[in-house]
Amino acid sequence: VKRTAGERQFILYRYFLENTKKGHTVSRKDIFDFLATYNIFISPHTLYNDFDILRGTMGLDIDFDPHVHKGKGGYWVKNPPFEPKELLLMVDSVQASKFITQKEATTISQKITRLADVYTKDSLTRHAYVARRILSKYSYSPMEKLPINTSDN
């Protein structure tokens, strides 16, 4: 299956977000090996052009650390959409909510966990016991009736 440049760049975008962070870089060889799993074979020049697209259009701040991978260097994303502490805060908030069922809390927490890199995912697997948590998903309907101010004041 021949991939378009946009598909390849999106694959790279997801790869960087899921597999890199400060202290966890990927080498150019790692990137080429990953792309090969999608039957994508490109030149280093094309990869660097894709980096420019990821940096510009997609807003990823990809940094290069020349001191890793036996001096060949490695790449990592400096600006993930959410920092690990922010994801942890979201998971803890969902788990602590007594307005949703435990099943819903688990489902939402799993969705939040998908936003994390592979090095952070395990630390986000948390469950909290909440006294007087609702037992039915229909019990939170009062939340839906809260007034929402949509004025520009």
Side-chain angles (χ1 to χ4, degrees):
V1 173
K2 180 86 170 145
R3 306 269 184 187
T4 67
E7 289 172 320
R8 181 183 67 244
Q9 292 154 0
F10 183 73
I11 289 168
L12 282 170
Y13 177 85
R14 293 298 314 152
Y15 177 70
F16 272 98
L17 290 180
E18 292 173 0
N19 295 286
T20 71
K21 71 180 215 173
K22 188 172 186 171
H24 295 280
T25 62
V26 291
S27 68
R28 191 170 71 174
K29 181 186 180 321
D30 294 334
I31 297 167
F32 286 131
D33 290 346
F34 173 74
L35 290 174
T37 64
Y38 287 89
N39 290 322
I40 297 173
F41 303 96
I42 58 173
S43 70
H45 178 74
T46 301
L47 179 65
Y48 296 128
N49 287 339
D50 287 348
F51 283 177
D52 289 340
I53 297 294
L54 293 175
R55 288 181 177 117
T57 305
M58 297 182 169
L60 282 187
D61 188 2
I62 299 171
D63 199 13
F64 181 76
D65 182 350
H67 305 292
V68 296
H69 301 287
K70 299 179 182 176
K72 293 183 179 181
Y75 301 91
W76 61 286
V77 174
K78 289 174 62 174
N79 66 332
F82 296 100
E83 294 294 329
K85 64 184 177 186
E86 295 168 329
L87 293 168
L88 187 58
L89 178 63
M90 286 189 270
V91 168
D92 285 349
S93 297
V94 167
Q95 287 295 322
S97 174
K98 63 182 177 181
F99 298 107
I100 58 176
T101 66
Q102 183 60 53
K103 183 178 178 182
E104 291 169 321
T106 300
T107 300
I108 294 168
S109 294
Q110 289 169 343
K111 289 177 181 180
I112 294 169
T113 300
R114 283 189 232 143
L115 300 171
D117 59 67
V118 295
Y119 308 102
T120 305
K121 285 182 192 252
D122 287 343
S123 68
L124 298 177
T125 305
R126 302 157 72 90
H127 297 283
Y129 171 75
V130 178
R132 294 185 282 184
R133 181 188 290 271
I134 66 165
L135 301 176
S136 168
K137 70 179 188 175
Y138 299 106
S139 299
Y140 64 83
S141 60
M143 282 180 38
E144 295 171 346
K145 295 177 184 173
L146 290 175
I148 298 174
N149 186 356
T150 58
S151 68
D152 293 333
N153 296 344

